[in-house]
Amino acid sequence: MSRTRMSLLTALALLTGTSGAALIAAPAGASTAATPCTVDYKVQNQWDTGFTAAVTITNNGAAKSSWSLKWSYAGNQKISNGWNAKVSQSGSAVTAANESYNGTIPTGGSASFGFQASYSGTNAIPATFTLDGVTCNVDGGPTDPGPTDPGPTDPGPTDPGPGGKAANPYVGAKVYVNPEWSARAAAEPGGSRISNQPTAVWLDRIAAINGVNGGMGLRAHLDEALKQKGSGELVVQLVIYDLPGRDCAALASNGELGPNDLDKYKSQYIDPIVSILSESKYAGLRIATVIEPDSLPNLVTNAGGTNTTTDACVTMKSNGNYEKGVSYALDKLGALANVYNYIDAGHHGWLGWDSNLGPSVQEFAKVATSNGASMSDVTGFIVNTANYSPAKEPNFKVTDTVNGQTIRQSKWVDWNQYVDEQSFALGLREKLVAAGFDSGLGMLIDTSRNGWGGTARPTGPGPQTSVDAYVDGSRIDRRIHAGNWCNQSGAGLGERPTAAPAAGIDAYVWVKPPGESDGNSAAIPNDEGKGFDRMCDPTYGGNARNGNNPTGALPNAPLAGHWFSAQFQQLMQNAYPPLP
């Protein structure tokens, strides 16, 4: 499964000429003859000690190629971070300047950004804003109760969420153990140590709904789940994974549907799944769906303007069928009272740069509010699906410095804003809530293969001789490059599936069943639509997506999804926490 990463320069190149990513259309009939600018400042979420705000600048004057908005607070508000603008503060004075991708504002056009801040006492809207030194009209106001009102509450893990659903479906529930995977794991020497762990069921083709080659279909899994459920609650994890033109940036996990087979995706894939899940006997199961791994992140990073672009991704961005398909799945599945949709959001080594993360949030919001879908159809997002990035890097932080130099300039970090999945998940969550998603939004992290234990695991920080020596000596992620995604040598099982491991994280989950191959190491003729991706070839020297580094892939791997005993044994050997 493709897990693309991009250097800072590549990521910036992607945004060149696409300033619309952070622009909104001017309102119909907007006047250009009045005040040169209007500022709409809205407090979106407010609590006792902090708030998030959204700011929209409307330019009624001459077109701009860059901009700087300034204001001052009357209270003690302190901005901690912002998005879609460079936000700085000195005392009470705040300056928000454009990013490289949203500096252009045509006459009558707008630009938007947001930020999070702390405060105490009152949180009054600033009285005056200046855009490039010119005073603007002020619009907007708090959209949530003020500081003396109760305000919105974040539902606790056991409180009901929107629509009567559990705020976190994993809390207080068992999770379904797939008997087919469990049997394969138990048949391996030592495999009984983990064969009782819950893993996801991948519906990766239409035939999987009824069962492939005599295997269990969706109904069979749900019937087995009812047996495992007993009198308590139980979560069944399903991966919805069969979009038209699936996985446009890779070959190993290409799908069965052509780029224009949207109607087939709807009628022969999503609709039958929804029909089965709608059966009354399954109403007591909690169904957690992982929606279309790889799809929307590929539209952000691989669909135009960079050396990571593929023709297939350009096609899928042009025809809109990824977006239409995901929206359809969210709409139909989200209408079921017991279904919890989690959209795939790549991983930190793919979307962790600001120039990728902002457009990704906009893409997610677009898909969740179009083609029949709404944000209420989204329970949360999942990161690191079928990937290897650690949940936490214990020995270093992105804010560390060596001899006065930020470790972000090391080759490994490559100016990324994050170094592990939990910080990325929480940073992404914050931006998603600011973009309008529910404040109770939950994140999942796939920890099935990100443990990185064994003798190669560092036990403390690296040497302080250079940023590269420090990071390379500190990181538990022992891949050659963070863009390597296929059957990685040296990997280990990660944290066992756990509910609510941290605030904002619904669960650590094993979505990719350990022991199932990412892709074949050499070409293998097959009737499953799966190609040979050189990123699964241990002899391949890499490409732009992994900085032209060796792949680090294990040899002799079978087709994607097929059992790979050598990998399973390695994952157990290198498990962290270690297996008993």
Side-chain angles (χ1 to χ4, degrees):
M1 181 175 298
S2 172
R3 284 293 178 269
T4 306
R5 51 84 53 217
M6 301 178 68
S7 69
L8 179 70
L9 293 177
T10 300
L12 289 176
L14 174 68
L15 275 299
T16 301
T18 58
S19 57
L23 297 182
I24 62 174
S31 171
T32 60
T35 306
C37 49
T38 300
V39 172
D40 184 6
Y41 179 107
K42 280 189 169 66
V43 174
Q44 293 186 308
N45 294 289
Q46 184 166 290
W47 54 100
D48 289 345
T49 59
F51 66 98
T52 61
V55 182
T56 298
I57 306 163
T58 300
N59 176 30
N60 299 324
K64 293 180 176 293
S65 58
S66 63
W67 51 265
S68 176
L69 184 72
K70 296 184 178 182
W71 70 89
S72 292
Y73 283 117
N76 60 358
Q77 296 94 329
K78 296 294 183 185
I79 294 176
S80 56
N81 62 83
W83 44 93
N84 290 331
K86 298 181 179 72
V87 185
S88 59
Q89 184 170 0
S90 176
S92 63
V94 178
T95 300
N98 64 276
E99 295 283 8
S100 60
Y101 53 84
N102 64 350
T104 300
I105 314 180
T107 301
S110 299
S112 298
F113 64 93
F115 60 87
Q116 180 172 334
S118 62
Y119 80 103
S120 62
T122 59
N123 183 24
I125 295 174
T128 303
F129 293 83
T130 61
L131 180 64
D132 299 330
V134 177
T135 301
C136 302
N137 277 344
V138 181
D139 193 9
T143 58
D144 287 332
T148 59
D149 297 320
T153 58
D154 228 352
T158 58
D159 300 326
K165 296 181 180 181
N168 180 350
Y170 289 86
V171 169
K174 296 184 291 186
V175 186
Y176 176 62
V177 177
N178 180 346
E180 294 184 311
W181 175 82
S182 181
R184 287 192 291 269
E188 292 280 345
S192 60
R193 293 174 294 173
I194 64 166
S195 59
N196 64 341
Q197 293 291 346
T199 55
V201 174
W202 286 66
L203 301 176
D204 60 354
R205 47 187 146 161
I206 292 168
I209 299 171
N210 292 320
V212 178
N213 299 325
M216 296 172 70
L218 178 55
R219 274 197 184 88
H221 282 295
L222 296 176
D223 289 340
E224 172 64 22
L226 289 175
K227 297 176 184 177
Q228 295 183 19
K229 178 179 183 295
S231 60
E233 299 289 350
L234 183 136
V235 177
V236 180
Q237 301 173 121
L238 303 177
V239 181
I240 306 301
Y241 186 52
D242 200 27
L243 272 179
R246 189 181 76 194
D247 228 352
C248 58
L251 297 173
S253 45
N254 284 165
E256 63 187 349
L257 300 181
N260 297 313
D261 286 340
L262 180 63
D263 290 341
K264 191 173 181 180
Y265 175 78
K266 293 178 178 180
S267 64
Q268 297 185 34
Y269 181 68
I270 294 297
D271 289 352
I273 292 172
V274 171
S275 177
I276 293 171
L277 296 181
S278 300
E279 294 179 16
S280 59
K281 66 176 179 176
Y282 303 130
L285 296 172
R286 297 179 179 180
I287 311 296
T289 60
V290 172
I291 303 296
E292 296 294 351
D294 281 350
S295 60
L296 301 181
N298 269 324
L299 294 186
V300 174
T301 64
N302 297 325
T306 75
N307 57 4
T308 66
T309 295
T310 71
D311 291 342
C313 289
V314 170
T315 295
M316 299 319 300
K317 187 176 182 69
S318 175
N319 67 22
N321 284 345
Y322 275 9
E323 296 174 334
K324 295 171 187 174
V326 171
S327 294
Y328 188 83
L330 291 173
D331 177 30
K332 298 303 180 183
L333 291 164
L336 303 181
N338 61 329
V339 171
Y340 301 79
N341 290 322
Y342 293 87
I343 300 175
D344 182 78
H347 59 90
H348 89 275
W350 187 353
L351 301 182
W353 291 268
D354 281 347
S355 47
N356 287 351
L357 195 56
S360 296
V361 169
Q362 293 171 0
E363 179 67 33
F364 297 145
K366 174 185 177 183
V367 170
T369 55
S370 59
N371 303 304
S374 69
M375 287 185 175
S376 63
D377 294 319
V378 181
T379 298
F381 288 75
I382 180 168
V383 301
N384 206 47
T385 304
N387 205 252
Y388 298 84
S389 299
K392 298 178 183 178
E393 279 284 4
N395 300 323
F396 74 110
K397 306 183 299 296
V398 74
T399 54
D400 287 351
T401 60
V402 175
N403 299 323
Q405 293 181 307
T406 172
I407 59 98
R408 291 183 63 222
Q409 71 184 62
S410 65
K411 291 180 181 178
W412 175 260
V413 180
D414 194 18
W415 296 103
N416 203 311
Q417 297 286 357
Y418 303 94
V419 297
D420 55 33
E421 290 305 296
Q422 190 144 307
S423 63
F424 170 67
L426 294 175
L428 171 61
R429 180 186 183 278
E430 181 179 279
K431 290 174 171 55
L432 289 164
V433 170
F437 284 94
D438 188 84
S439 61
L441 198 71
M443 308 299 288
L444 302 178
I445 302 176
D446 187 353
T447 61
S448 58
R449 305 181 302 176
N450 70 349
W452 296 102
T455 57
R457 181 185 175 94
T459 57
Q464 295 268 336
T465 52
S466 70
V467 290
D468 287 320
Y470 175 73
V471 170
D472 289 339
S474 300
R475 58 184 172 93
I476 61 170
D477 187 340
R478 305 314 298 169
R479 286 178 292 177
I480 298 169
H481 190 275
N484 289 348
W485 55 267
C486 193
N487 301 324
Q488 289 300 285
S489 177
L493 300 167
E495 294 280 354
R496 314 309 177 248
T498 307
I505 307 295
D506 277 0
Y508 292 153
V509 292
W510 283 8
V511 169
K512 177 69 173 180
E516 292 190 3
S517 174
D518 293 321
N520 38 302
S521 302
I524 300 176
N526 67 92
D527 60 359
E528 300 178 26
K530 295 169 182 175
F532 170 43
D533 195 308
R534 291 298 303 278
M535 289 300 293
C536 299
D537 177 359
T539 69
Y540 181 49
N543 54 39
R545 295 190 185 89
N546 79 331
N548 297 297
N549 284 282
T551 66
L554 290 168
N556 305 314
L559 291 172
H562 289 223
W563 192 254
F564 190 9
S565 177
Q567 182 199 52
F568 184 80
Q569 289 294 328
Q570 175 190 258
L571 291 173
M572 289 195 298
Q573 178 181 348
N574 294 332
Y576 197 91
L579 296 178

